[in-house]
Amino acid sequence: MNGRNMITVLAIGVFLVGVTAQAPAQQCGWLLGQDLPGTSGTVYATATWDPDGPGPEPEQLVVGGDFSTAGGVTVNYIARWDGTSWQPLGTGMDSTVWALTVYNGELIAGGYFTTAGGVTCNHIARWNGSAWQALGTGMNSNVYALTVYNGELIAGGNFTTAGGVTCRKIARWNGTSWQALGTGIAGSVPPNVNALTVYNSELIAGGNITTAGGVSCNNIARWNGTSWQALGTGMSGGGYPYVYALTVYNGELIAGGNFTTAGGVTVNYIARWDGTSWQPLGTGMDSTVWALTVYNGELIAGGNFTTAGGVTVNYIARWNGSVWQALGTGMSGTVRALTVYNGELIAAGAFTTAGGVTCNYIARWDGTSWQPLGTGMGYPGYESYCSVRALTVYNGNLIAAGAFTTAGGVTCNCIARWNGTAWQPLGTGMSYYTSLGTVDALTVYNGELIAGGYFTTADGVSCNYIARWNGTAWQPLGTGMSSTVLGLTLYNSELIAGGDFTTAGGVTVNYIARWDATSWQPLGTGMSGTPYHDVLALTVYNAELIAGGKFTTAGGVAVNRIARWDGTSWQSLGTGVSGPTNPYVCALTVYNGELIAGGFFTTAGGNVSAYSARWTCTGACCQPDRSCAVTTEAVCTGVWHGEWSSCNPNPCPRAGDFDADGDVDIEDFNALAACLAGCQQPLGQGCEPGDMDADGDVDLVDFAQFQRAFGQ
């Protein structure tokens, strides 16, 4: 994962699918296809920028995101449209761009990248029209939000320093240097600034925070140019109160999330700030609001709720300024994602109907009623396991992948594309010998769609667990792997794959390999161990590739389930993790400049560390208030001298949520199935999390309990 929040955040966005030059007659709207194929991956940020201000050059559209090409031109995560064609901005970035804005006539980009145009910039950079430049020495971790306030550039994220200055989670650039906004943002759980906006001449910051500038603010705060102030008493209630979404509607600030009160007033998961106090929007919802947007003059909210204002709405609702109304009759299950595509609102999740209309896991709202996207997805005979596991955008099409055999009634086998009108297969999809396979990972590399998972053929072509789609046909990447691909990432402009394979392209690689666009190559001598060796998780930290799994050596070096690759050799991270029997690392991310690891282990670097830990922690950790894997931060002081520190998480908050992603879904089912197949009686094979009834066995009783939790 890329580390943007360690919580599930469902966000409203726009997929950029194409732009064409202006025709002689006046025409408005987005046009699909024609001579602009769009970007090769998801667009996360857009901005308009005039390279010469009031000069003769026209304004340009700039897009940033997770793509390598635009219009077939190599651009590397950021591109500009000059009215005729896509152009790069220098050589682009080395990783994802999350945010864009314009400041002092220069284009500003923030994100996950550490270089721009080959220049070290550390998560934020400026484009002066001809070259990328750093803004001081940048940040020590990701930038998620950008805006301009009082003539200064404001950046928010999960960093703690900017330009070497302590700036917890938020900082300002005055044109010369980074400065803090008071003492910044803090919290008892991992505090992040995930959203920034300006309202009534004040800067608004939202996220999972408890103080700003030392002032209690409870998940939302305002900066008046001099000091931080609360917006009333902020948000509370809901178990773990967070603000997940912010927007402005009808001159008021709107906040949605997992809270039941705002300013001491009962609001139930959504509230409005009129400049003086928090007020409800009707009687609010009966559960979490994950997403907000404005569509056709109305406020749209999506989430895990079934009622809004006492009206049955089923996971999605609209506010017309006075009352909540359903969009049709809503959905039959949770809405997990919202976006706007081709001028329509798109919703996807664990539902089979929308507005009473059968839609099967995905639907579109045309302003009046819910409509299906074809007949959606299906898995005849195994309907309860049908799921979409991965989504991305490739060549202007929406790509959906997972465990299904049909899309729109068309046989597609695990992967399909929506062209705005109909579902189409990508070849004949994937299979595992004569049975249905699964696609577990998607990414875009060198302008091609990459899919990894549990399959041996794609479109009838032998691909062996990994394949690439060039826009026309599936092709192998060499001769593929000898077993399942479980993770994909990009490192040093190469595709990295991890899993339980020992060879890639016929070359011995031992559970991890790199693809240089021509052939598979090993990373040293790979991993080994007894009795298990798999690579289960991949990420990039401090310009090094980090691998986690079940292995105990990497490149012949003792590493104990986690290792780092510096581009030349494998090295350990302290003494790794251990205990109880057959421990493993199955989740990795980067937070607050530290590497976070989650899995099945009890010690890290010799310290007690129940199932999660962080690398290069400073000091003795305090008890966090929730987590079962990688979603909490402990507050520490002192130095551990490069060893792990304990985060001692509490038990998982949801039965059956083995991967701690907030949902009980097909990934958790796969984990339980592996336990049932590999270690029914007794325990001790690394499957203790599957023992739902705590009787010492992983058996059919646990499976029955899991069924009741599945999809809820």
Side-chain angles (χ1 to χ4, degrees):
M1 63 186 290
N2 60 22
R4 187 179 186 184
N5 307 334
M6 288 175 284
I7 52 175
T8 303
V9 178
L10 304 180
I12 299 294
V14 176
F15 289 139
L16 184 67
V17 295
V19 187
T20 58
Q22 186 175 355
Q26 290 186 350
Q27 298 181 353
C28 299
W30 293 99
L31 301 180
L32 198 62
Q34 298 188 21
D35 57 352
L36 178 67
T39 63
S40 61
T42 304
V43 172
Y44 292 123
T46 64
T48 55
W49 175 66
D50 194 332
D52 64 347
E57 291 188 40
E59 189 174 60
Q60 297 181 347
L61 172 69
V62 181
V63 300
D66 189 17
F67 53 84
S68 56
T69 65
V73 177
T74 298
V75 293
N76 294 325
Y77 306 99
I78 192 165
R80 57 180 174 176
W81 174 254
D82 62 10
T84 305
S85 62
W86 287 109
Q87 303 289 338
L89 282 84
T91 55
M93 279 65 171
D94 64 344
S95 193
T96 308
V97 172
W98 290 114
L100 291 170
T101 195
V102 175
Y103 171 71
N104 280 355
E106 294 184 313
L107 178 70
I108 310 297
Y112 191 61
F113 56 86
T114 55
T115 66
V119 176
T120 299
C121 55
N122 293 326
H123 308 289
I124 194 164
R126 58 182 175 183
W127 174 258
N128 63 10
S130 58
W132 286 106
Q133 297 178 347
L135 281 82
T137 55
M139 279 66 172
N140 69 336
S141 195
N142 304 327
V143 171
Y144 298 145
L146 292 169
T147 195
V148 176
Y149 173 72
N150 277 359
E152 294 184 312
L153 174 67
I154 310 296
N158 69 350
F159 53 85
T160 55
T161 65
V165 177
T166 298
C167 298
R168 291 185 60 85
K169 318 302 179 183
I170 194 164
R172 59 181 177 178
W173 174 260
N174 63 9
T176 305
S177 62
W178 287 107
Q179 297 180 6
L181 280 81
T183 55
I185 305 297
S188 59
V189 296
N192 289 332
V193 172
N194 299 320
L196 292 170
T197 194
V198 176
Y199 173 74
N200 278 0
S201 300
E202 294 184 312
L203 175 68
I204 310 296
N208 49 321
I209 57 182
T210 56
T211 64
V215 176
S216 177
C217 59
N218 293 328
N219 304 303
I220 193 165
R222 58 181 176 178
W223 173 259
N224 64 9
T226 304
S227 62
W228 285 105
Q229 298 179 0
L231 280 81
T233 54
M235 282 63 176
S236 61
Y240 300 102
Y242 304 123
V243 172
Y244 290 145
L246 289 172
T247 194
V248 176
Y249 173 73
N250 279 357
E252 295 183 313
L253 177 67
I254 310 296
N258 186 43
F259 53 86
T260 55
T261 66
V265 177
T266 299
V267 293
N268 293 327
Y269 307 101
I270 192 165
R272 56 186 172 127
W273 176 259
D274 63 6
T276 304
S277 62
W278 287 108
Q279 299 180 17
L281 282 83
T283 55
M285 279 65 171
D286 64 348
S287 193
T288 306
V289 172
W290 289 109
L292 293 170
T293 194
V294 176
Y295 173 74
N296 279 356
E298 295 183 311
L299 176 68
I300 308 295
N304 197 37
F305 51 86
T306 57
T307 65
V311 176
T312 299
V313 294
N314 293 328
Y315 311 104
I316 193 164
R318 58 181 176 177
W319 173 260
N320 65 7
S322 301
V323 296
W324 286 108
Q325 297 178 333
L327 281 81
T329 54
M331 278 65 174
S332 61
T334 302
V335 174
R336 295 179 179 175
L338 292 170
T339 193
V340 176
Y341 175 76
N342 278 1
E344 295 182 315
L345 181 68
I346 307 296
F351 54 84
T352 55
T353 65
V357 177
T358 299
C359 57
N360 294 325
Y361 312 106
I362 192 166
R364 59 190 173 102
W365 176 258
D366 62 10
T368 304
S369 62
W370 286 110
Q371 303 289 337
L373 280 80
T375 55
M377 278 60 177
Y379 193 173
Y382 300 91
E383 287 81 2
S384 63
Y385 304 125
C386 184
S387 67
V388 174
R389 298 188 181 188
L391 289 171
T392 194
V393 175
Y394 173 73
N395 279 357
N397 289 168
L398 176 65
I399 309 296
F404 50 85
T405 56
T406 65
V410 177
T411 299
C412 56
N413 293 327
C414 306
I415 194 164
R417 60 182 173 183
W418 176 257
N419 64 8
T421 305
W423 287 106
Q424 297 178 343
L426 280 81
T428 56
M430 280 64 172
S431 63
Y432 180 73
Y433 296 107
T434 59
S435 302
L436 182 72
T438 61
V439 173
D440 298 300
L442 290 173
T443 194
V444 176
Y445 171 73
N446 279 358
E448 295 183 313
L449 176 68
I450 310 296
Y454 184 68
F455 57 87
T456 53
T457 64
D459 200 16
V461 176
S462 178
C463 294
N464 294 326
Y465 308 100
I466 193 165
R468 59 181 176 180
W469 176 260
N470 63 10
T472 305
W474 286 107
Q475 297 179 351
L477 281 82
T479 55
M481 278 63 171
S482 58
S483 194
T484 310
V485 171
L486 299 170
L488 293 169
T489 194
L490 303 182
Y491 174 71
N492 281 355
S493 301
E494 293 183 316
L495 175 69
I496 310 296
D500 65 356
F501 52 86
T502 56
T503 65
V507 177
T508 298
V509 293
N510 293 326
Y511 313 105
I512 192 164
R514 59 188 171 120
W515 176 258
D516 63 5
T518 303
S519 62
W520 287 107
Q521 298 181 14
L523 282 83
T525 56
M527 280 59 174
S528 64
T530 302
Y532 304 110
H533 343 268
D534 306 355
V535 172
L536 303 176
L538 294 168
T539 195
V540 176
Y541 173 70
N542 277 356
E544 294 183 315
L545 175 68
I546 309 297
K550 299 180 180 180
F551 52 88
T552 54
T553 66
V557 176
V559 294
N560 288 329
R561 286 87 190 183
I562 191 164
R564 55 181 175 151
W565 173 260
D566 62 8
T568 304
S569 63
W570 287 106
Q571 299 178 23
S572 64
L573 281 84
T575 54
V577 305
S578 60
T581 303
N582 299 320
Y584 54 84
V585 171
C586 60
L588 290 170
T589 193
V590 176
Y591 171 73
N592 202 23
E594 295 179 316
L595 175 67
I596 309 297
F600 184 66
F601 54 85
T602 55
T603 64
N607 300 303
V608 175
S609 185
Y611 309 116
S612 69
R614 60 183 188 164
W615 174 251
T616 319
C617 177
T618 56
C621 292
C622 303
Q623 175 74 23
D625 62 4
R626 75 178 289 261
S627 176
C628 60
V630 295
T631 57
T632 53
E633 177 193 41
V635 179
C636 306
T637 58
V639 179
W640 279 102
H641 304 294
E643 286 292 6
W644 291 88
S645 65
S646 169
C647 289
N648 296 321
N650 290 334
C652 291
R654 295 190 63 192
D657 185 17
F658 305 132
D659 60 0
D661 67 352
D663 297 318
V664 179
D665 52 23
I666 194 67
E667 284 78 10
D668 302 301
F669 171 78
N670 288 340
L672 181 61
C675 291
L676 286 168
C679 52
Q680 290 185 9
Q681 299 186 38
L683 290 176
Q685 300 298 313
C687 292
E688 279 82 349
D691 185 20
M692 296 185 68
D693 63 356
D695 68 348
D697 299 324
V698 180
D699 52 26
L700 292 179
V701 176
D702 301 300
F703 180 79
Q705 291 195 12
F706 179 84
Q707 278 188 308
R708 290 193 288 272
F710 185 84
Q712 300 301 312

